Amino acid sequence: MENNSPSMTDTYQEEALYAMALTRLAGLNTAAALHLYRELGSAVNVYAHRNDIADVVPDCTPRLVEVLKNWDEALRRAEEELMFDQRYSVRVLTLNDDAYPARLRECADAPVVLYYRGNAELSQQRVISIVGTRHCTAYGRDLVNRFMTDLRQLCPEMLIISGLAYGIDICSHRAALQQGYETVGVLAHGLDELYPNAHRETAHKMVTQGGLLTEYMTQTRADKMNFVRRNRIVAGISDASILVESAAKGGGLITMHIAQSYDRATFAFPGNVGSSFSEGCNSLIRDNGAALITSAQDFVEAMGWQDDSQRQKVRQQGVERQLFPALSPEEQAVVDLLQNTNDLQQNIIAVKTNISMSQLTALLFSLEMKGVLKPLAGGVYHLLL
């Protein structure tokens, strides 16, 4: 496992292996594994300090010291999992992997490891989750379809997250696919199976137009508690969560409460008074747990995303495909900087180009309209030319 000058692939596999093993140590809960990972910066470092952990993590308990002494079985299981992942093109995303969902990483209970099969970037500029009852009505299905159709016109670039369950979840995935959106399903089990099996055809499409994501290794059953835990990923990976039909109790409400705890935006569609499948939505709105929306327009305005349709209109007119757009000296300075070091945050660009933040904001928007760059999550800008 040791290598004085490991390749990028070897380094990735080594970190993935020890991160997976960390989550499998007998007697180590998720919170403790995450604490160790964040304290030491990587799973490789946790393993390297397994015999002197009390010296580098002052709040380490005697029980934790004992737990970290035996990695043999956990590493064996991790090696087995890594072989499956390599065979079936599953990406192991550790907490410090650049491809790990940036929004989820900020959460206090983020998974140390995620298993991902798909092609969508998980830290896109716009990410929303749509959840609700498994026993949706025609009203709920119509809401989802109309919302997705209208949203596509207002915000053409969006990643749609849900849980691939019956009802509102699968309606959301299918409507997203139909509208050309990428959509990711968060699973409550490993990627060696699919539950429910009835959604297998949709899941296959999602792998090429989105993906499947889970924190669970293979051979993990879809137990009830796993569904509850996966809700934090659905909420944490998103800018906003939208509830479409819910009984007085259910997984959708759990997701909304978690999203609130993460300071994420929460929305709900109202339903008829007395309808059992609208009771959860109506009570959430009544108790100020979610903002009331009746359309995609309501949602987009509440999020402040109105400019997305304007950008798309400019792109459709062909501006994005200009090979050599005319640039001002200040715009050229930004382009020159990103050509040398791409994907920089706005504040870094301001410092390196000596352009004020107020002027830079306008320049970046102009360059985006010209199809020269695009914004990414976290205030990062990516050069396209």
Side-chain angles (χ1 to χ4, degrees):
M1 202 62 65
E2 296 182 359
N3 191 328
N4 292 330
S5 56
S7 68
M8 184 179 296
T9 299
D10 290 340
T11 302
Y12 158 72
Q13 290 185 353
E14 184 180 33
E15 177 63 18
L17 183 70
Y18 286 117
M20 288 190 289
L22 180 63
T23 67
R24 297 290 298 191
L25 288 177
L28 187 69
N29 61 33
T30 302
L34 179 60
H35 177 63
L36 287 172
Y37 196 100
R38 284 185 161 150
E39 283 290 311
L40 294 176
S42 72
V44 169
N45 287 343
V46 175
Y47 181 76
H49 289 286
R50 64 194 183 281
N51 294 321
D52 63 348
I53 195 69
D55 296 331
V56 294
V57 181
D59 59 352
C60 188
T61 64
R63 181 175 179 277
L64 188 55
V65 171
E66 288 302 313
V67 166
L68 290 178
K69 287 182 178 179
N70 186 6
W71 287 64
D72 292 347
E73 179 58 27
L75 281 170
R76 184 203 64 76
R77 180 66 181 90
E79 288 171 351
E80 180 183 272
E81 187 70 19
L82 193 58
M83 286 191 291
F84 174 91
D85 296 335
Q86 291 170 341
R87 185 179 305 121
Y88 293 101
S89 301
V90 175
R91 177 74 187 270
V92 181
L93 305 178
T94 60
L95 200 63
N96 60 8
D97 192 312
D98 290 340
Y100 191 98
R103 296 167 181 82
L104 184 61
R105 185 187 289 118
E106 299 169 359
C107 301
D109 53 357
V112 170
V113 176
L114 292 169
Y115 303 91
Y116 180 49
R117 187 163 180 237
N119 59 3
E121 180 190 340
L122 299 175
S123 299
Q124 294 184 31
Q125 186 183 15
R126 307 277 190 250
V127 184
I128 66 171
S129 60
I130 302 176
V131 296
T133 179
R134 297 183 181 214
H135 306 285
C136 68
T137 66
Y139 169 75
R141 289 191 295 272
D142 289 344
L143 274 181
V144 169
N145 290 330
R146 185 171 72 248
F147 177 82
M148 207 74 71
T149 299
D150 294 344
L151 187 66
R152 180 66 171 172
Q153 300 303 312
L154 298 169
C155 289
E157 297 177 1
M158 185 89 66
L159 178 62
I160 309 298
I161 306 294
S162 199
L164 204 69
Y166 289 109
I168 295 299
D169 284 18
I170 194 62
C171 288
S172 300
H173 290 306
R174 288 170 177 165
L177 291 170
Q178 186 174 7
Q179 292 301 322
Y181 278 131
E182 292 179 319
T183 181
V184 170
V186 183
L187 308 181
H189 51 76
L191 290 173
D192 56 334
E193 61 175 286
L194 188 75
Y195 178 84
N197 188 61
H199 298 163
R200 186 169 296 276
E201 183 177 349
T202 300
H204 284 321
K205 293 179 182 177
M206 290 168 63
V207 169
T208 59
Q209 192 179 321
L212 303 175
L213 184 70
T214 183
E215 66 178 310
Y216 297 107
M217 284 187 176
T218 56
Q219 304 173 40
T220 301
R221 296 176 57 187
D223 293 330
K224 181 178 180 180
M225 187 52 61
N226 293 354
F227 286 98
V228 175
R229 288 187 54 78
R230 71 96 182 267
N231 290 339
R232 82 190 194 285
I233 300 177
V234 174
I237 201 174
S238 309
D239 295 303
S241 293
I242 301 171
L243 185 65
V244 183
E245 287 200 311
S246 172
K249 296 181 180 180
L253 283 172
I254 293 173
T255 301
M256 302 301 284
H257 291 314
I258 295 172
Q260 278 188 292
S261 74
Y262 292 157
D263 291 324
R264 306 297 164 80
T266 52
F267 300 89
F269 281 96
N272 291 331
V273 174
S275 169
S276 60
F277 293 121
S278 293
E279 189 175 350
C281 293
N282 292 344
S283 62
L284 194 67
I285 294 168
R286 180 198 64 209
D287 298 336
N288 297 316
L292 183 153
I293 56 172
T294 60
S295 66
Q297 185 71 45
D298 288 349
F299 172 72
V300 169
E301 289 179 358
M303 294 299 294
W305 292 350
Q306 299 94 318
D307 290 340
D308 285 18
S309 56
Q310 179 185 353
R311 293 189 184 102
Q312 181 67 5
K313 184 177 180 181
V314 172
R315 289 170 184 158
Q316 288 174 344
Q317 291 171 347
V319 176
E320 185 180 47
R321 293 188 292 274
Q322 291 181 8
L323 190 56
F324 300 107
L327 303 178
S328 69
E330 292 80 7
E331 289 173 335
Q332 190 63 55
V334 173
V335 170
D336 291 343
L337 173 63
L338 292 176
Q339 282 178 333
N340 291 326
T341 309
N342 208 353
D343 298 345
L344 294 177
Q345 290 184 322
Q346 182 173 348
N347 60 336
I348 301 299
I349 297 173
V351 170
K352 290 186 176 292
T353 58
N354 199 28
I355 299 174
S356 68
M357 287 293 285
S358 58
Q359 183 184 5
L360 182 60
T361 299
L363 287 173
L364 291 171
F365 182 77
S366 174
L367 288 169
E368 185 182 353
M369 291 299 95
K370 293 177 179 179
V372 175
L373 54 74
K374 71 173 182 178
L376 303 176
V380 172
Y381 284 83
H382 174 78
L383 187 67
L384 295 171
L385 296 179

